[in-house]
Amino acid sequence: MNITFIYPKFEKLLESRLELKTPEGAKKHLGDFSMPPALGIPIMTALSKNEHNVKLYDENIEKINYDDNADLIAVSFFTPQANYAYDIAKRFKSKGKIVIGGGMHPSLMPEEASQYFDAICIGEVEGVWADILNDFQKGQLKKIYKKEVHDIDIVPIPEREVFTGRNNYDWEAKLIQTMRGCSFYCENCIIPAEFGSNLRFKSIDKVIDEFNVSQISGDYYLIDDTLFLPHRECREYRTKLFKAIAELPVKPRIFISGSLNTSYDSDFLKLLKDAGVINLYLVTGSDPYSVKAFQKGQQQFFEHGLEFVDRYQQEGIEVYISVGLGFDYQNNHVFDISLDFIRKANIRTAEFYILTPFPQTPVWHQFRKEDRILHYNWTKYNTANVVFKPKNFTEQELLDGYIRCWRDFYSGICIDKSLSNFVK
């Protein structure tokens, strides 16, 4: 059987905000950065490759061939891709193709998504992919497939060869997932809604196998910021994990994610450094420390944040900060405070995002209850547009402050230097 996976286009920052175009002579801008699709497609490829022929179209870097000879079309997408995904499904169905959908958006908005696809997968695909293919071949495809994966060791090593032959990606780090689930319900996070609140860890040996199968070449991104939660299970797991990674015969280049709640204890930082961690993607906005640090008059927490960044930098771990704007606790001071923090912390890689009420997040439910959501044009749910009524800004004030942060930060730093950890 021939299976074609499709990763739809999504509107990037520079497509939403033309006023932030890449300066002449610069190689790239964070707002126009291309990476391979997330783990869903390479995992489904790994589950399919021994029995079926697999193909991928990533609409962000290539055109889709609507005359493709596939027996089955599978579209994986998150919220900003939803409108494009629905158009793709319509076009293929008009040609008589069977089209299935999955990913974050169908998992969180199944009633909407099921209107456009012959079948949808809600949540984790590993537990139902074989059923979907078997039912399709029998002509008995169900409308909805859903099954929680209790043991994530059954998840195969992603088949990254599906990306081979494309040279339009700016960064091709190998994404590694170490766990699923989260018991914190941060206001703008979809993890509990998509993967549940129970923490499920991949065995250390399985994670190490992912490094070994790639011959430990290139960059690796451990995508789970939940790995650095204060839970005892997380602490014990990550200590064992990074010690195991440090014993690999070749030290990898590892990128991690976290918040200002992440530890900056010297022993912990040495553990990261010994394992090859070179970059922390620091997301602010909803964690308790950044809620305080980015408010006027909270100097103690502001200084804590500066010390946090300095400790990582002193250990040789670069900090790439992502600053959230538009939260209800913020007001017009947040733009100056954010820029002041980044400059004083000597951070050279920064991005800014506008709070976005993604479906089924706590803030989604809050804003719907308060009648504060402006529209449901999913294309604009890309964190570069104001899609809700802010509490302490006008919509235009929030947008203007967001644009100013991007402009002011990059007026004082070379973009090429800023991305030197990512673009070689």
Side-chain angles (χ1 to χ4, degrees):
M1 182 168 71
N2 296 318
I3 304 170
T4 291
F5 294 112
I6 296 179
Y7 189 63
K9 173 184 171 58
F10 60 93
E11 190 172 284
K12 296 180 183 177
L13 164 65
L14 290 186
E15 294 172 293
S16 290
R17 308 265 68 92
L18 297 177
E19 56 268 64
L20 294 173
K21 66 179 181 179
T22 306
E24 187 175 350
K27 294 178 182 176
K28 206 67 184 174
H29 190 295
L30 273 173
D32 190 29
F33 211 65
S34 294
M35 287 181 59
L39 289 171
I41 288 174
I43 286 173
M44 287 185 286
T45 299
L47 292 169
S48 310
K49 65 177 184 178
N50 291 334
E51 298 181 28
H52 308 287
N53 299 314
V54 172
K55 183 188 299 180
L56 165 67
Y57 293 115
D58 181 350
E59 195 181 19
N60 295 281
I61 63 168
E62 62 195 342
K63 292 183 178 180
I64 297 170
N65 177 11
Y66 286 94
D67 293 320
D68 189 274
N69 67 349
D71 301 295
L72 181 65
I73 305 292
V75 186
S76 179
F77 60 102
F78 65 115
T79 297
Q81 299 170 297
N83 293 340
Y84 296 104
Y86 298 155
D87 287 342
I88 289 167
K90 289 177 185 176
R91 290 189 64 177
F92 273 113
K93 289 180 72 172
S94 72
K95 293 177 175 289
K97 298 292 185 181
I98 299 296
V99 189
I100 61 175
M104 184 187 87
H105 193 78
S107 297
L108 302 178
M109 297 291 285
E111 291 185 7
E112 175 191 281
S114 64
Q115 299 174 49
Y116 299 92
F117 295 92
D118 295 291
I120 61 168
C121 170
I122 298 176
E124 299 166 305
V125 72
E126 301 85 7
V128 298
W129 185 241
D131 294 336
I132 291 174
L133 297 186
N134 288 335
D135 289 351
F136 168 73
Q137 290 177 305
K138 294 176 182 177
Q140 299 174 353
L141 198 63
K142 302 180 182 68
K143 192 65 179 179
I144 292 176
Y145 291 83
K146 180 181 180 181
K147 181 180 180 181
E148 182 178 351
V149 176
H150 296 287
D151 179 7
I152 64 172
D153 272 5
I154 74 164
V155 178
I157 293 174
E159 181 50 77
R160 299 181 176 92
E161 293 299 315
V162 73
F163 306 134
T164 298
R166 294 166 173 82
N167 57 8
N168 293 325
Y169 294 126
D170 299 301
W171 190 46
E172 296 189 58
K174 301 172 182 69
L175 308 185
I176 292 184
Q177 186 174 56
T178 61
M179 60 182 292
R180 288 180 180 173
C182 183
S183 57
F184 286 110
Y185 287 83
C186 295
E187 55 190 304
N188 61 328
C189 182
I190 59 99
I191 291 176
E194 186 175 15
F195 290 120
S197 60
N198 294 325
L199 300 178
R200 291 163 290 156
F201 298 89
K202 188 178 292 185
S203 67
I204 303 294
D205 288 344
K206 289 282 288 186
V207 177
I208 296 302
D209 285 345
E210 286 201 43
F211 283 96
N212 287 327
V213 78
S214 303
Q215 299 180 336
I216 323 175
S217 61
D219 295 344
Y220 294 82
Y221 179 23
L222 304 186
I223 62 174
D224 311 298
D225 51 4
T226 47
L227 181 61
F228 301 101
L229 291 174
H231 298 67
R232 176 183 56 81
E233 310 101 291
C234 295
R235 291 198 305 270
E236 293 176 354
Y237 178 82
R238 66 183 176 242
T239 297
K240 293 177 182 177
L241 173 64
F242 285 110
K243 284 183 176 178
I245 295 173
E247 294 176 357
L248 289 167
V250 178
K251 182 177 288 192
R253 284 167 43 93
I254 295 178
F255 296 70
I256 61 173
S257 294
S259 70
L260 286 175
N261 285 8
T262 306
S263 173
Y264 59 96
D265 173 82
S266 57
D267 290 338
F268 175 71
L269 293 176
K270 184 178 185 303
L271 181 71
L272 298 182
K273 186 66 176 177
D274 289 347
V277 174
I278 65 165
N279 197 285
L280 167 67
Y281 180 55
L282 177 64
V283 181
T284 72
S286 59
D287 68 278
Y289 278 106
S290 65
V291 166
K292 296 286 188 180
F294 291 88
Q295 289 190 63
K296 189 177 182 180
Q298 298 286 348
Q299 192 64 27
Q300 175 186 353
F301 293 93
F302 187 91
E303 295 293 335
H304 164 84
L306 294 180
E307 181 182 3
F308 175 98
V309 174
D310 182 64
R311 292 271 191 95
Y312 275 83
Q313 291 171 334
Q314 290 296 325
E315 198 61 47
I317 299 173
E318 289 284 343
V319 174
Y320 167 7
I321 193 168
S322 181
V323 180
L325 304 170
F327 289 82
D328 279 0
Y329 68 85
Q330 296 173 341
N331 56 31
N332 277 305
H333 293 295
V334 72
F335 310 119
D336 289 328
I337 293 171
S338 300
L339 290 167
D340 186 40
F341 179 87
I342 293 169
R343 288 167 183 148
K344 287 180 176 175
N346 295 313
I347 292 174
R348 69 178 188 179
T349 312
E351 68 179 15
F352 305 88
Y353 71 91
I354 297 173
L355 174 66
T356 302
F358 291 112
Q360 311 311 329
T361 58
V363 77
W364 158 270
H365 293 294
Q366 176 192 340
F367 289 175
R368 280 168 61 87
K369 183 178 180 180
E370 296 171 353
D371 193 26
R372 292 171 59 190
I373 293 182
L374 297 173
H375 62 76
Y376 299 100
N377 177 2
W378 302 128
T379 302
K380 300 303 179 183
Y381 277 58
N382 64 348
T383 75
N385 297 279
V386 181
V387 301
F388 71 101
K389 301 173 186 176
K391 181 177 181 181
N392 299 316
F393 319 80
T394 66
E395 295 150 34
Q396 193 61 49
E397 284 173 341
L398 177 54
L399 182 58
D400 289 345
Y402 165 79
I403 292 171
R404 179 165 71 86
C405 284
W406 277 100
R407 280 179 169 163
D408 284 8
F409 176 74
Y410 282 104
S411 68
I413 190 167
C414 170
I415 291 179
D416 297 345
K417 180 180 179 182
S418 175
L419 293 175
S420 61
N421 250 358
F422 302 86
V423 182
K424 297 299 177 183

